[in-house]
């Protein structure tokens, strides 16, 4: 049972346009959501996060939106650049005992930025 | 400021053998989590260590065990290796009180033949 789903295995976007990556979750206990970017032969790199008390968080070209009622979040990248080509993972966690649970990841979306 | 480091980078083992992977957390972090990433999948949580104890465990068999040392570094041990254990093993470190943001190392690629 996949608790975090990224239904698009790949996405192709032209350079300079907006990239929108989507993620759905099923577990109501999740209260913190993160996006990671991964290049081949490297570990995931933290991009941006959002707490369930917010519905939007921005950091430069990256914005994450959270719709709790729909259990859906999205990552917007504007404008898209060639260096953004990578696999993007959505992850979620819940707090327990004063710390955070291990992260639950989606399967990832391969973003390809075309010149 | 060194980030999360892992060793070795690559490893080849045969079925039935045992393997130990190592992780040094980012400076100042006290919590280490281990993940397994199979080809084409997202990372799957194995377990998390804090104060030298296993704090939480994912859905992995007892063949997977770990340890955390007083300097916060950690080891992942896998006994009786199976072909299906071939994967990228990722270590992530964080602060337990802000554990949501975990920072990952480059991983150890394990191939079981």
């Amino acid at each position: 049972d996949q608790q975090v789903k990224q239904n698009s295995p790949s996405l192709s976007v032209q350079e300079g346009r907006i990239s929108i990556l989507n993620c759905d979750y099923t577990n109501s206990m999740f209260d913190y959501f993160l996006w990671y970017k991964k290049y081949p032969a490297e570990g995931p790199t933290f991009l941006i996060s959002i707490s369930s008390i917010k519905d939007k968080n921005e950091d430069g070209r990256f914005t994450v939106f959270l719709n709790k009622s729909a259990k859906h979040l999205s990552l917007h990248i504007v404008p898209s650049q060639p260096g953004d080509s990578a696999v993007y993972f959505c992850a979620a966690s819940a707090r327990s005992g004063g710390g955070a649970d291990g992260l639950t990841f989606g399967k990832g979306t391969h973003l390809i930025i075309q010149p | 400021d060194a980030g999360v480091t892992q060793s070795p980078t690559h490893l080849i083992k045969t079925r039935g053998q045992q393997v130990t992977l190592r992780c040094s957390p980012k400076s100042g972090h006290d919590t280490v989590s281990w993940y397994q990433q199979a080809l084409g999948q997202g990372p799957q949580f194995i377990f998390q260590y804090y104060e030298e104890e296993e704090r939480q465990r994912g859905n992995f068999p007892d063949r997977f065990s770990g340890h955390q040392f007083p300097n916060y570094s950690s080891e992942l041990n896998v006994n009786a290796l199976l072909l299906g254990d071939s994967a990228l093993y990722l270590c992530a470190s964080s602060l337990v009180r802000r554990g949501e943001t975990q920072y990952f190392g480059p991983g150890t690629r394990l191939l079981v033949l």
Side-chain angles (χ1 to χ4, degrees), chain A residues 9-77:
Chain A
S10 66
L11 176 67
S12 183
V13 174
Q14 271 202 309
E15 182 180 355
R17 299 285 185 107
I18 182 171
S19 294
I20 300 176
L21 294 94
N22 293 304
C23 176
D24 298 295
Y25 63 96
T26 58
N27 189 339
S28 301
M29 298 300 292
F30 289 148
D31 61 358
Y32 202 84
F33 304 89
L34 309 91
W35 285 93
Y36 287 86
K37 171 181 178 180
K38 188 178 185 301
Y39 295 117
E42 294 184 11
T45 302
F46 171 70
L47 270 180
I48 192 169
S49 61
I50 187 166
S51 163
S52 59
I53 63 173
K54 294 186 175 182
D55 54 20
K56 178 182 173 182
N57 188 27
E58 278 183 271
D59 184 1
R61 297 186 299 114
F62 302 93
T63 303
V64 57
F65 295 92
L66 175 62
N67 182 334
K68 289 186 290 293
S69 60
K71 293 191 175 70
H72 176 83
L73 63 156
S74 60
L75 174 68
H76 292 210
I77 306 173

Side-chain angles (χ1 to χ4, degrees), chain A residues 32 34 36 95-96 100 102-103, chain B residues 35 55-56 96 100 102 105:
Chain A
Y32 202 84
L34 309 91
Y36 287 86
R95 294 195 67 83
S96 67
L103 298 175
Chain B
Y35 294 81
R55 181 179 166 273
Q56 190 196 12
V96 73
E100 296 92 344
Q102 296 180 18

Side-chain angles (χ1 to χ4, degrees), chain B residues 84-99:
Chain B
D85 295 331
S86 295
L88 178 67
Y89 288 85
L90 294 161
C91 168
S93 75
S94 59
L95 288 170
V96 73
R97 62 180 170 82
R98 288 192 64 196

